[in-house]
Amino acid sequence: MREAAASLRKAIVLRPDWAQPHVLLSRVLVAQGRPAEGIQHLSETLKTYPDNRLVRLSYARLLVAERKYGLALEEFRRLHKSDKDDREVHYAYAMMATQQSAWDEARPLWQSLRNDPKFRDEATYFLGQVEELDGNSALAIGLYKSVDKSHFRVDALIRAASLLADQDQLLAGRDLLAEARITEPERAEDIYLSELQMLQKAEADPEVILRLYATAIKAFPESNDLIYNRGLYYSDLGRFDAMEVDFQAVLARDEDHAESLNALGYMLADRGVRLDEALTYIHRAHKLRPDNAAILDSLGWAYYRKGDYQTALRYLREAVQASDQDDEIAAHFGEVLWISGEQAEARNVWRSALEVVPESKHLRAVMERFLSE
């Protein structure tokens, strides 16, 4: 790899205006685990050769790969402006504009791509996303329902059903998904899961939800996802014996099912029962997924329940760092800080998290308990 990089640098010195060695060198740097240097090299190259399309396209793709979406959007905007007939760039520009919530840019790009038979269904689906996220629910529903036979159809119908349910048209949403199970039988399990999540979000009658779980599990008896999700729902209902039966059923088939290990351990710890057993489950999950924020949070919470505050704080700090501003993790972290005598830091943690998730029931509940004293 070092020899390749050295050879490419020699080629660049000999032929600095030749684009290919620059692009290949950036790829070698990425392969060496040095993506920032690859980005920097292409950025510097573009200062000298701003009109080199190959270098700019490679730069834009590398920015996407490194999740620097704002910068990638700028580059695809430039590329599209210089050649509006390049469909690959047009598509990438539309995706970046959508990802960056630039609705006024994304909308005409997807509308244009809908005129191309190759992209029609995909563009319709993503245009539906733009309208949904921009608050135009009725238009989004119509677009989603018009997605034809393609691998986007089921996801489009699931989104349409969810929007209908959000508009107090739960029955219409359910009818849409029931029809989708008939026309798209290969995705029936996913459709069941989506309908169940939709019903739970709408706080439908628990017996209706449990009957649908029973129907879905009868149709897909080997589905760990369905049984696991029913276990979570049982926990929401406070039916912990039934919850444990489902989690144990999944673990009997897959002893390394990290989600079930974590959920079972967390639910035991949260209730303050069988704490050593709870920690055994969570540590098994942690071994499988050491960087998972939810599992780190469960470990911290379990140690907190055992009264080991220092260990709890260590895991909860890791959970906060690994999470994307999760409000429940922030609530837990703040509580353990408070009990440990770090009230000022606890207040800062809660208030910062509340700015991100102002409607968080977890944060509001913990703050009411401690700050009202």
Side-chain angles (χ1 to χ4, degrees):
M1 196 73 76
R2 290 180 181 176
E3 292 179 1
S7 297
L8 289 167
R9 291 186 190 279
K10 288 180 182 178
I12 288 168
V13 171
L14 292 171
R15 291 275 306 277
D17 59 336
W18 185 21
Q20 196 65 30
H22 291 283
V23 172
L24 291 175
L25 178 58
S26 72
R27 293 175 184 173
V28 169
L29 291 169
V30 170
Q32 290 177 332
R34 298 153 64 191
E37 292 181 43
I39 289 173
Q40 182 64 28
H41 177 75
L42 292 181
S43 177
E44 292 297 325
T45 302
L46 284 170
K47 291 177 182 178
T48 306
Y49 305 103
D51 297 325
N52 193 298
R53 191 170 181 81
L54 176 60
V55 174
R56 191 169 296 281
L57 182 57
S58 299
Y59 179 52
R61 288 171 173 165
L62 183 51
L63 289 170
V64 173
E66 294 303 308
R67 300 180 182 272
K68 297 182 181 296
Y69 300 126
L71 293 173
L73 173 58
E74 294 176 14
E75 295 306 319
F76 280 115
R77 188 184 289 130
R78 291 190 182 98
L79 286 160
H80 182 259
K81 185 177 180 180
S82 67
D83 183 357
K84 289 183 168 55
D85 294 326
D86 187 325
R87 280 315 206 199
E88 179 188 357
V89 168
H90 190 130
Y91 178 86
Y93 178 23
M95 288 295 291
M96 286 298 97
T98 302
Q99 200 279 336
Q100 291 297 107
S101 304
W103 312 131
D104 291 341
E105 284 185 82
R107 188 176 285 111
L109 292 166
W110 291 123
Q111 287 170 339
S112 173
L113 284 169
R114 289 184 75 199
N115 297 321
D116 186 333
K118 179 181 177 182
F119 293 103
R120 181 175 295 122
D121 283 323
E122 191 170 354
T124 300
Y125 174 71
F126 284 113
L127 182 58
Q129 279 195 22
V130 168
E131 299 300 350
E132 176 185 351
L133 295 170
D134 201 22
N136 303 316
S137 297
L139 182 53
I141 290 168
L143 286 164
Y144 287 142
K145 291 171 74 173
S146 70
V147 174
D148 204 354
K149 290 283 185 182
S150 75
H151 65 281
F152 289 97
R153 178 168 172 74
V154 170
D155 292 330
L157 292 176
I158 287 171
R159 281 182 171 269
S162 179
L163 285 173
L164 286 166
D166 289 344
Q167 296 181 345
D168 297 323
Q169 298 182 63
L170 183 61
L171 183 58
R174 294 194 69 187
D175 287 344
L176 195 62
L177 294 181
E179 179 183 345
R181 274 197 296 273
I182 295 170
T183 59
E184 311 287 340
E186 72 283 354
R187 294 284 305 278
E189 182 184 345
D190 294 335
I191 296 168
Y192 271 125
L193 282 165
S194 297
E195 184 175 359
L196 286 158
Q197 290 165 2
M198 185 174 75
L199 287 168
Q200 290 172 223
K201 181 182 178 183
E203 298 182 346
D205 184 341
E207 291 308 313
V208 171
I209 295 172
L210 290 173
R211 280 199 298 272
L212 185 59
Y213 266 116
T215 299
I217 291 170
K218 183 177 180 180
F220 296 95
E222 300 303 314
S223 172
N224 284 341
D225 286 343
L226 283 165
I227 298 172
Y228 165 74
N229 277 280
R230 186 175 66 176
L232 291 177
Y233 184 58
Y234 275 134
S235 74
D236 291 341
L237 297 176
R239 295 175 58 176
F240 298 113
D241 289 345
M243 170 204 78
E244 185 164 354
V245 168
D246 275 350
F247 290 154
Q248 293 288 11
V250 174
L251 291 170
R253 295 197 297 215
D254 179 4
E255 64 181 12
D256 290 335
H257 194 274
E259 291 84 358
S260 291
L261 288 166
N262 181 55
L264 179 53
Y266 175 81
M267 294 302 175
L268 290 172
D270 193 47
R271 290 155 56 213
V273 300
R274 295 153 53 193
L275 291 173
D276 289 335
E277 183 181 347
L279 275 168
T280 297
Y281 290 130
I282 303 168
H283 273 296
R284 284 170 58 190
H286 181 241
K287 186 175 181 180
L288 293 164
R289 298 189 183 172
D291 299 321
N292 183 276
I295 295 171
L296 289 165
D297 174 62
S298 295
L299 275 174
W301 199 240
Y303 278 109
Y304 171 54
R305 291 301 199 195
K306 280 181 68 71
D308 185 347
Y309 300 156
Q310 292 308 306
T311 303
L313 284 174
R314 176 164 62 85
Y315 282 117
L316 286 168
R317 286 188 192 278
E318 289 184 41
V320 168
Q321 292 170 0
S323 71
D324 186 17
Q325 299 177 315
D326 185 281
D327 57 312
E328 186 171 6
I329 293 175
H332 287 166
F333 184 37
E335 178 167 341
V336 181
L337 284 168
W338 186 281
I339 295 298
S340 301
E342 302 292 337
Q343 283 86 2
E345 186 178 356
R347 285 191 180 93
N348 289 335
V349 167
W350 289 331
R351 288 171 179 163
S352 296
L354 201 62
E355 289 178 4
V356 178
V357 191
E359 73 285 358
S360 170
K361 62 181 182 180
H362 303 293
L363 290 166
R364 293 195 176 278
V366 73
M367 291 173 77
E368 184 176 338
R369 270 195 295 129
F370 289 102
L371 297 182
S372 62
E373 294 178 354

